[in-house]
Amino acid sequence: MADLSTQKILFTQDQIWEKAKEIGKQITEDYKGEEVVLLCTLKGAILWMGDIMKNIDLDTQIDFVCASSYGSGTSTSGIVKITKDVDMDLFNKHVLIIEDIIDTGTTLKYLQDYLKERNPKSVKICSLLDKPARRIADVQGDYIGFTIDDLFVIGYGLDYDQRYRNLPYISYLEG
Ligand code: IMP
Ligand code: MG
């Protein structure tokens, strides 16, 4: 367990909800008249997924995928594995990946290429957080909640060693 007494809160639940409203409105406009599959990446994006889907007024289906490039530490192994596959047939569908954070981009790059093999109509990315300073792979988010510095953050779905996903805010530990 980490010592949460030194944590600094970056974004509150209210700030995240306001951002989800803004982005949800934008997505609703951009996909007007179209069906969209919201593909939530497990486990980190579950709370953001909930906020985004409640703010989208479109013909929407949801699915879940788990692509993992991390061991139990805080840096990427570079090797991506799909540990829970997409259930839905994505052929000719607009797929919007709902992600927690784009860090090195390794996971999303792999997932994007993996999904494109299923011949969807489009694949876009909606990420709660973006940490561009650490980018290795050529990946850009289409909808970004907040851009942050090179900090290891926890809460609102994001974990440190599988813990703290339940915190109703995003914080970082001063270390
Ligand atoms: P990437 O492949 O390096 O972009 O890493 C993607 C995954 O690493 C994210 O979906 C997160 O699960 C995890 N990750 C990256 N940065 C952080 C962080 O600051 N806190 C918690 N998890 C993180
Ligand atoms: Mg993680």
Side-chain angles (χ1 to χ4, degrees), residues 159-175:
D159 72 302
Y160 172 65
D161 241 349
Q162 296 302 329
R163 292 201 168 86
Y164 313 117
R165 294 191 194 276
N166 56 314
L167 298 177
Y169 49 79
I170 293 167
S171 68
Y172 70 97
L173 301 170
E174 268 197 323

Side-chain angles (χ1 to χ4, degrees), residues 15-146:
Q15 285 174 304
I16 298 167
W17 175 249
E18 287 308 312
K19 187 60 79 172
K21 283 207 281 197
E22 207 180 287
I23 290 178
K25 194 164 167 253
Q26 187 65 53
I27 292 170
T28 303
E29 282 170 23
D30 293 352
Y31 289 86
K32 197 166 186 280
E34 304 279 348
E35 291 175 33
V36 59
V37 176
L38 302 180
L39 184 62
C40 175
T41 59
L42 295 172
K43 306 168 189 171
I46 55 165
L47 297 185
W48 179 235
M49 170 76 164
D51 288 352
I52 286 292
M53 62 190 274
K54 281 183 276 185
N55 284 297
I56 290 179
D57 185 13
L58 293 167
D59 188 352
T60 300
Q61 296 176 314
I62 69 167
D63 205 348
F64 298 86
V65 66
C66 189
S68 175
S69 76
Y70 268 30
S72 60
T74 59
S75 64
T76 183
S77 68
I79 299 162
V80 183
K81 266 197 322 199
I82 302 281
T83 55
K84 191 255 164 240
D85 209 339
V86 182
D87 292 325
M88 220 170 253
D89 180 6
L90 300 180
F91 177 74
N92 214 21
K93 298 273 174 85
H94 288 295
V95 180
L96 183 57
I97 302 171
I98 311 293
E99 175 67 297
D100 54 356
I101 186 167
I102 315 175
D103 186 22
T104 65
T106 311
T107 317
L108 269 180
K109 179 75 187 143
Y110 180 89
L111 186 59
Q112 262 184 336
D113 293 346
Y114 180 79
L115 294 173
K116 280 177 185 163
E117 283 172 23
R118 298 178 176 219
N119 298 311
K121 205 181 271 182
S122 69
V123 179
K124 287 192 174 181
I125 298 166
C126 169
S127 184
L128 170 56
L129 300 172
D130 188 10
K131 229 195 272 184
R134 296 208 354 125
R135 197 76 90 255
I136 295 170
D138 180 21
V139 177
Q140 268 181 316
D142 298 281
Y143 305 95
I144 298 294
F146 305 95

